[in-house]
Amino acid sequence: MKKYIYIIICVLAVALQSCDDFLDREPLDFGDETAYFKNANDLKVFVNDLYSALPKNNTLWGGLYTQDNLSDNQCASYAQNLFYRGEKKTVNVNSSEWKFSNLRAINYYINKVEEKLAAGQLKEDAALVNHYLGEGYFFRAYDYFRLLKNFGDVPIITVMLEDNQKLLTEKSIRYPRNEVARKILSDLDRAAELLMVASPESGRINRDAALLLKARVALYEGTWERYHAGTCFVPGNDKWPGKTTWPDFQFKAGSAEAEVEFFLREAVNAAGIVAEARPLASDYQGMFNKDQTFPEGSEVILARYYKTGVLSHSCSAYLRSGGGCGLTRAAVNTFLMENGLPIYDANSGYNGDTLPYQEVQGRDKRLTESVRTAGEDIQTTQVDGKYVNDTIYYYRPTIYASGNEKSTTGYDLNKWYTDDAQQRIQYECTTAVPIFRAAEAYLTYLEAYYELHHSLDANCQKYWQALRERAGVSTEYQRTIDATDLSQENDLGVYSRGNYVDATLYNIRRERRCELIAEGLRLDDLKRWRSLDNMVNYQPEGMNLWDEAYKMYSRSQIEESIVSQSSLSKYIRPLQVSSTSAAYDGYNFPKPHYLEPIPISEFLLTGGGVAAQSPIYQNPGWPREADGIADYTFDCD
């Protein structure tokens, strides 16, 4: 019988302890390597700790199902300061993603294991030894990708540094982001060489997880560099803040566009290996709301597992009453009709949105499996802990609730929700959480290939049709492309660099949005596409409340202090419940927010107490001071 990872054992927790700052300069006690790293099991115990970095659903509120609140896919009941001016500030290192403690521990682990292998001291269980070393390379790449997404240019460190002021200052130099991305891909290549094709235990990383992460990183960097080219966010031009540190910088591939093409080719190749090896599951929603273990070779490449009495979460317990989130009307509108036509097409058969339940009829199955809508028949009677169909009840989103119980948009999240009564009890949910899926490889291949060649090959056709077939949508994607009017699409993804992309590329992006809805990847997409430039006076909206759905509520449940009123819009506007909302007039994305600021402590520590003397440069538009806001007049372009 296979074993499962339900909880990470912190035998060497000191190796991952949180350190204050400056590349985590305080020395860490990693124990005596003569006592550890003697066999494969010792390596396994060490890398178990690293799994805590992967996405999860929380014991209390939140998790992977709420991450898209920080995007245009979902909306919380409060404004996100990433999307408006004046409130997002430079923070101290403890509140920043500028953290290196995990990397320091991983570098120690990789270096020590490589030394012992070279010395012939880890001969037994060679396949497992290699596998657990591969997990170390995977997690180093995973942590560096976190830094890349948040900061762009970051230090590249592959050894555990001594607590030496001069050495730490030298090693704190930020490397150009493309070189950081190349290092990540190199680590993932090494991981893929070492990792087993089939995981030694369910819940552990395998070769395809490394390849899919490689494809994700390569697509991210290739499209970031393409759509942010010539701005302060990409190396190799006078606006880049690293030009003084790297006066002789040149792209490894020879030019900016050649560098983009390098990353896109890497994405195509890695994604293609995974896509060819793994078919799609027949049950889309079932991947997200069942207490199960996914078999080897299935669509779900890596998942986090839970077990009653050992480790659990509260996802369905919160989602049964809204969960402090909800899909936006923009996200809902993106889904096609079953015939493959956009909802605005005259021949689509769209029912309109007067009643939310009618709105989703005849649509992409991923929509009906991802959202619960007002007016829908639901089950309320239980037999043996399961709901049955002998009671008719019209679902009414709890738009009148507050906090984490509130339905913020009326489009309640159904994708992660289960009607199993046991799974709806707080602290007792044990449904698996998929982290890497082969569907992402299909989508990555599609997008990267089209970005690279501006055409589609036979594999693109095969993968696109497979995704649409499972979704119950016509596989004639060219019909969709021909019917697309970008001006009628309620989607920031129609834009890059302030301009419309072509209809084929947009529909690839549409497919990605619909397939990966509520899986926490949307913000990364909007950033790499440079679509947030068009988040101007942007008002997130929910369901049509004020035509018909309001009749489901008493007046006290939908009064002014609870939900936005019909004088503003017939659609729910979560940001316009209170006139004091920081984003009452909508979101206006500030370009300096594409990257996070580096904490002031890093400049002081590396500058001998004088921030201006630090060799580290700040990200564009951000000050070298504590609690400072960005300069919104800064010319990022």
Side-chain angles (χ1 to χ4, degrees):
M1 180 180 293
K2 286 192 174 182
K3 300 177 182 178
Y4 310 117
I5 296 181
Y6 293 119
I7 188 167
I8 305 303
I9 304 170
C10 297
V11 173
L12 295 180
V14 67
L16 300 179
Q17 69 187 22
S18 175
C19 298
D20 290 337
D21 44 42
F22 195 22
L23 307 184
D24 300 298
R25 64 197 303 263
E26 291 301 317
L28 299 177
D29 178 9
F30 291 97
D32 181 359
E33 63 267 21
T34 61
Y36 296 105
F37 306 142
K38 294 182 298 183
N39 52 48
N41 190 66
D42 286 351
L43 308 190
K44 170 185 168 182
V45 168
F46 190 100
V47 293
N48 278 352
D49 273 343
L50 305 179
Y51 279 81
S52 62
L54 296 173
K56 60 182 178 295
N57 284 336
N58 298 336
T59 305
L60 292 173
W61 178 82
L64 197 53
Y65 68 96
T66 61
Q67 284 188 14
D68 268 3
N69 280 358
L70 196 64
S71 77
D72 60 344
N73 273 356
Q74 294 176 198
C75 194
S77 57
Y78 51 88
Q80 304 287 344
N81 65 15
L82 179 69
F83 300 137
Y84 61 88
R85 298 181 175 189
E87 189 174 302
K88 185 174 176 61
K89 299 179 180 180
T90 55
V91 295
N92 63 44
V93 72
N94 290 332
S95 301
S96 169
E97 288 295 318
W98 187 264
K99 292 181 172 67
F100 294 84
S101 57
N102 275 18
L103 282 172
R104 191 163 191 258
I106 295 168
N107 284 336
Y108 169 82
Y109 170 78
I110 290 174
N111 296 163
K112 194 57 61 179
V113 176
E114 293 278 19
E115 286 175 15
K116 287 182 174 288
L117 282 171
Q121 297 175 2
L122 284 169
K123 295 180 179 179
E124 296 181 5
D125 298 321
L128 283 174
V129 167
N130 285 338
H131 180 88
Y132 296 130
L133 176 58
E135 290 191 14
Y137 278 102
F138 174 94
F139 279 112
R140 185 163 72 181
Y142 190 87
D143 211 39
Y144 257 113
F145 188 38
R146 172 187 63 82
L147 289 167
L148 177 74
K149 290 188 295 181
N150 281 284
F151 301 102
D153 305 348
V154 294
I156 296 179
I157 303 168
T158 58
V159 297
M160 192 181 73
L161 301 176
E162 298 177 0
D163 187 23
N164 177 287
Q165 178 82 17
K166 182 180 179 181
L167 176 63
L168 290 169
T169 298
E170 291 173 355
K171 294 298 183 180
S172 68
I173 299 297
R174 300 173 67 185
Y175 277 71
R177 63 174 298 133
N178 66 302
E179 296 184 18
V180 177
R182 281 174 172 265
K183 176 57 182 171
I184 295 172
L185 299 190
S186 175
D187 273 358
L188 290 169
D189 283 339
R190 178 69 172 142
E193 291 173 2
L194 294 165
L195 290 166
M196 295 179 176
V197 174
S199 310
E201 297 173 350
S202 293
R204 296 203 84 92
I205 291 159
N206 55 28
R207 184 205 64 172
D208 284 355
L211 290 172
L212 183 53
L213 180 58
K214 179 182 178 181
R216 182 187 293 184
V217 174
L219 178 65
Y220 186 94
E221 187 59 21
T223 50
W224 178 286
E225 290 187 25
R226 169 162 286 171
Y227 293 115
H228 291 273
T231 72
C232 58
F233 300 115
V234 172
N237 64 82
D238 287 340
K239 294 178 180 178
W240 175 47
K243 64 182 178 181
T244 302
T245 303
W246 302 96
D248 300 321
F249 170 82
Q250 292 184 345
F251 285 102
K252 298 289 187 182
S255 70
E257 186 55 29
E259 194 77 359
V260 168
E261 292 173 358
F262 162 79
F263 286 113
L264 293 176
R265 283 194 299 271
E266 292 291 299
V268 167
N269 293 337
I273 295 172
V274 178
E276 285 299 295
R278 292 178 180 263
L280 298 181
S282 59
D283 183 2
Y284 176 77
Q285 189 183 18
M287 290 185 286
F288 303 94
N289 67 358
K290 287 184 171 57
D291 184 352
Q292 64 185 315
T293 302
F294 298 100
E296 285 294 338
S298 68
E299 176 178 346
V300 176
I301 298 167
L302 179 67
R304 186 183 287 273
Y305 296 118
Y306 298 81
K307 185 176 177 64
T308 302
V310 179
L311 186 67
S312 59
H313 59 85
S314 296
C315 177
S316 284
Y318 280 102
L319 288 180
R320 65 178 178 174
S321 60
C325 62
L327 296 187
T328 61
R329 185 167 75 94
V332 170
N333 285 353
T334 300
F335 287 84
L336 298 169
M337 302 298 293
E338 291 174 349
N339 57 20
L341 294 175
I343 60 173
Y344 51 76
D345 188 275
N347 298 312
S348 70
Y350 179 55
N351 293 323
D353 61 15
T354 300
L355 284 174
Y357 175 62
Q358 294 176 354
E359 180 182 3
V360 302
Q361 301 308 304
R363 304 283 291 278
D364 183 328
K365 288 196 301 185
R366 291 170 298 193
L367 175 59
T368 54
E369 293 179 357
S370 295
V371 66
R372 286 178 292 161
T373 51
E376 180 179 352
D377 291 353
I378 64 168
Q379 306 159 20
T380 60
T381 299
Q382 297 180 30
V383 174
D384 296 329
K386 302 288 185 180
Y387 288 87
V388 296
N389 284 313
D390 64 349
T391 302
I392 296 177
Y393 178 78
Y394 296 108
Y395 183 69
R396 184 181 65 172
T398 58
I399 58 176
Y400 48 82
S402 60
N404 297 334
E405 305 294 325
K406 187 177 182 65
S407 169
T408 59
T409 66
Y411 295 121
D412 284 1
L413 197 57
N414 197 45
K415 182 171 181 176
W416 293 94
Y417 176 78
T418 175
D419 61 6
D420 185 328
Q422 181 63 35
Q423 295 292 336
R424 296 175 11 145
I425 301 172
Q426 192 172 16
Y427 313 128
E428 295 189 18
C429 302
T430 54
T431 51
V433 176
I435 297 171
F436 291 111
R437 294 196 291 125
E440 184 186 346
Y442 288 39
L443 293 159
T444 298
Y445 187 98
L446 254 174
E447 184 181 348
Y449 190 94
Y450 189 79
E451 286 277 9
L452 192 58
H453 300 287
H454 305 292
S455 63
L456 302 174
D457 70 353
N459 282 333
C460 290
Q461 178 176 334
K462 178 173 64 174
Y463 301 150
W464 205 345
Q465 289 178 340
L467 289 163
R468 288 174 64 132
E469 183 176 5
R470 178 172 66 179
V473 175
S474 167
T475 58
E476 297 180 24
Y477 57 79
Q478 189 60 50
R479 186 187 187 204
T480 306
I481 295 168
D482 294 341
T484 297
D485 180 349
L486 296 177
S487 69
Q488 294 195 61
E489 294 289 347
N490 189 7
D491 190 338
L492 290 172
V494 301
Y495 302 105
S496 281
R497 299 181 69 99
N499 300 309
Y500 285 135
V501 299
D502 69 63
T504 300
L505 181 55
Y506 168 64
N507 276 288
I508 292 170
R509 292 179 178 185
R510 181 208 299 274
E511 199 71 50
R512 182 177 177 86
R513 185 182 200 184
C514 296
E515 177 67 30
L516 302 177
I517 193 81
E519 294 184 50
L521 296 174
R522 179 64 173 178
L523 180 61
D524 290 346
D525 291 343
L526 294 176
K527 284 186 171 184
R528 66 185 177 88
W529 295 333
R530 197 179 163 185
S531 297
L532 291 171
D533 285 15
N534 285 80
M535 185 179 265
V536 179
N537 299 326
Y538 184 85
Q539 196 65 248
E541 291 183 326
M543 73 175 186
N544 181 346
L545 173 64
W546 293 107
D547 276 347
E548 287 290 334
Y550 75 93
K551 297 175 183 177
M552 301 179 68
Y553 301 92
S554 67
R555 182 60 225 177
S556 63
Q557 291 176 321
I558 52 174
E559 62 185 17
E560 188 173 2
S561 63
I562 295 174
V563 69
S564 62
Q565 300 298 291
S566 59
S567 58
L568 296 169
S569 172
K570 64 183 180 181
Y571 301 104
I572 291 176
R573 291 186 168 183
L575 301 184
Q576 291 192 318
V577 175
S578 170
S579 60
T580 62
S581 169
Y584 183 84
D585 293 325
Y587 286 142
N588 290 277
F589 181 76
K591 290 181 183 178
H593 289 192
Y594 272 115
L595 293 176
E596 293 293 306
I598 292 174
I600 181 63
S601 61
E602 304 310 287
F603 303 114
L604 295 174
L605 284 166
T606 56
V610 181
Q613 295 180 11
S614 171
I616 304 176
Y617 46 89
Q618 181 59 289
N619 272 332
W622 288 102
R624 291 193 185 194
E625 61 185 48
D627 205 32
I629 64 172
D631 175 5
Y632 300 119
T633 66
F634 188 86
D635 181 13
C636 292
D637 300 325

